[in-house]
């Protein structure tokens, strides 16, 4: 695995740093928690946020690989939050797809600007996911490692 990919994945997805790792937060999120939204309707659900992250991650990967014909399409940014049919199996598959996406990023060329932009984008939405899980009393360790 390329060192840049390892560092980005560790910074955002599977190792605790400034915030809990998303991989660990999503691991135990139930279907009910994944589709839950605050009553005021001002935020997307955890699952909608994961779909949004997947859209832009897949699009970047396809562009990097030169496979633009296979990149995901959306009418607008709002449609990138759209969910598949809300079943436990589809939630499980979405989580697996997100995990797989981070393992597939090749790393032989310099993608500094695009990766920096994607990392900032992902960190913003990771924070929303952690916040929503905290609002539901889930996925937040009582004792942190630092």
């Amino acid at each position: 695995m390329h060192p840049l990919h390892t560092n980005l994945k560790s910074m955002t997805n599977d190792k605790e740093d400034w915030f809990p790792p998303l991989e660990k937060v999503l691991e135990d999120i139930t279907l009910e928690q994944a589709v839950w939204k605050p009553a005021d309707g001002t935020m997307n659900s955890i699952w909608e946020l994961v779909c949004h992250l997947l859209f832009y991650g897949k699009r970047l990967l396809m562009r990097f690989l030169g496979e633009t014909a296979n990149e995901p399409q959306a009418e607008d940014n709002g449609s990138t939050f759209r969910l598949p049919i809300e079943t436990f199996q589809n939630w499980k598959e979405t989580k697996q797809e997100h995990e797989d996406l981070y393992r597939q990023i090749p790393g032989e060329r310099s993608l500094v600007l695009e990766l920096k932009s994607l990392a900032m984008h992902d960190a913003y939405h990771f924070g929303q996911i952690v916040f929503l899980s905290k609002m539901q009393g889930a996925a937040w360790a009582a004792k942190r490692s630092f």
Side-chain angles (χ1 to χ4, degrees), residues 49-121:
L49 290 165
V50 172
C51 287
H52 176 71
L53 294 169
L54 272 169
F55 174 86
Y56 285 106
K58 282 193 245 180
R59 187 175 79 169
L60 175 61
L61 179 61
M62 293 296 103
R63 286 178 178 178
F64 176 69
L65 295 173
E67 298 177 10
T68 55
N70 296 323
E71 74 179 53
Q73 302 294 316
E75 305 90 56
D76 54 33
N77 187 57
S79 64
T80 66
F81 292 91
R82 223 174 264 141
L83 296 182
I85 296 171
E86 295 177 13
T87 65
F88 172 75
Q89 185 60 35
N90 283 345
W91 169 233
K92 186 176 169 184
E93 288 173 11
T94 299
K95 290 192 294 184
Q96 185 61 54
E97 189 176 0
H98 182 266
E99 191 174 317
D100 290 347
L101 179 67
Y102 279 85
R103 289 196 177 110
Q104 293 173 8
I105 296 174
E108 292 298 279
R109 298 184 198 166
S110 174
L111 293 175
V112 175
L113 293 177
E114 287 195 72
L115 289 173
K116 181 179 177 185
S117 174
L118 184 63
M120 294 298 290
H121 170 263

Side-chain angles (χ1 to χ4, degrees), residues 22 25-26 33-38 42-57 77-84 91 94-95 98 101-102 121-133 135-136:
L22 184 60
V25 171
L26 292 178
Q33 290 170 322
V35 298
W36 180 87
K37 293 182 185 186
T42 58
M43 290 186 74
N44 293 96
S45 70
I46 290 172
W47 195 353
E48 287 170 331
L49 290 165
V50 172
C51 287
H52 176 71
L53 294 169
L54 272 169
F55 174 86
Y56 285 106
N77 187 57
S79 64
T80 66
F81 292 91
R82 223 174 264 141
L83 296 182
W91 169 233
T94 299
K95 290 192 294 184
H98 182 266
L101 179 67
Y102 279 85
H121 170 263
D122 286 5
Y124 171 75
H125 291 303
F126 288 4
Q128 289 178 313
I129 291 168
V130 170
F131 180 72
L132 286 165
S133 68
M135 288 178 72
Q136 299 177 75

